[in-house]
Amino acid sequence: MKFAPAALVAVAVCSLASCSSKDSSPAADTTGIASTSSSTPTTSASASAEPTANDISNYKLDMEKTNRYEAPIKGFAAIAKADSAAAEAMTSDGSENTAQMIARIESNPKAVSVLRKAGLDAKDYVWITAAWLQAAMTQGLIDSNPKAKIPEGQSLQNVDFLRAHKAELEAMQKSMEPSGNG
């Protein structure tokens, strides 16, 4: 199942590297669960603490968020082709924590402009990226092993969202790919 466009994967890989294992079990790390932060999370992560895998799983995805997310993915891809500084602002070597990722994106006016046009900020963007990737990876785990145990405290709400909106999300993902219609 393909839910993650290239730009989503790039940011998510960065997120994986900064995932806090505090309050999450070792099994969470094997599911590839990403970690970031959000503007209105319903989580236990404070502004100064790195969010946990559980925090990300409790950040509820919906069609409004994913529809707003599509424009920045396309916009980032377009400006990255023409502006190496913008491309750099949207990538990471994986050594950053969440606050550093958000600050890096916010440091590039073109990236900020793309996000604002979509009604998002860097924090929203990073949280949506992490929640979507985590849900897709958790779904893949469940699909490959229906008896797989999801780490305690993690919600399946985003996995359920991906399943319920599979056709819409696959069409959106296809439009975000470089060879897509977008």
Side-chain angles (χ1 to χ4, degrees):
M1 191 164 308
K2 276 174 70 179
F3 285 128
L8 174 66
V9 172
V11 172
V13 168
C14 301
S15 300
L16 287 169
S18 65
C19 184
S20 169
S21 60
K22 181 181 177 190
D23 301 327
S24 63
S25 70
D29 296 335
T30 64
T31 62
I33 295 172
S35 176
T36 57
S37 70
S38 172
S39 61
T40 55
T42 54
T43 70
S44 62
S46 70
S48 63
E50 282 298 299
T52 66
N54 291 356
D55 294 331
I56 296 302
S57 76
N58 288 307
Y59 178 77
K60 187 176 181 179
L61 293 176
D62 57 37
M63 282 311 296
E64 179 185 346
K65 287 175 187 167
T66 54
N67 285 330
R68 288 187 309 183
Y69 185 75
E70 183 177 13
I73 293 290
K74 290 177 179 180
F76 286 171
I79 63 175
K81 287 180 185 177
D83 184 339
S84 61
E88 188 174 318
M90 295 175 275
T91 58
S92 171
D93 65 5
S95 64
E96 298 172 310
N97 65 31
T98 302
Q100 290 168 325
M101 281 188 283
I102 292 167
R104 179 183 31 78
I105 293 169
E106 289 174 341
S107 73
N108 186 280
K110 289 182 182 180
V112 171
S113 176
V114 166
L115 288 170
R116 281 192 185 139
K117 286 178 186 174
L120 297 173
D121 61 21
K123 202 172 183 181
D124 293 321
Y125 178 80
V126 170
W127 271 88
I128 293 168
T129 300
W132 190 343
L133 181 67
Q134 180 193 56
M137 295 179 97
T138 301
Q139 181 179 355
L141 174 69
I142 293 167
D143 290 350
S144 69
N145 181 4
K147 294 181 181 184
K149 185 176 182 208
I150 303 305
E152 186 176 330
Q154 289 194 26
S155 170
L156 293 178
Q157 69 184 350
N158 291 333
V159 173
D160 295 339
F161 170 77
L162 294 183
R163 287 184 172 141
H165 298 279
K166 180 181 177 183
E168 294 165 274
L169 296 172
E170 285 179 348
M172 180 184 295
Q173 187 251 336
K174 183 176 172 93
S175 78
M176 290 188 282
E177 292 174 355
S179 61
N181 298 330

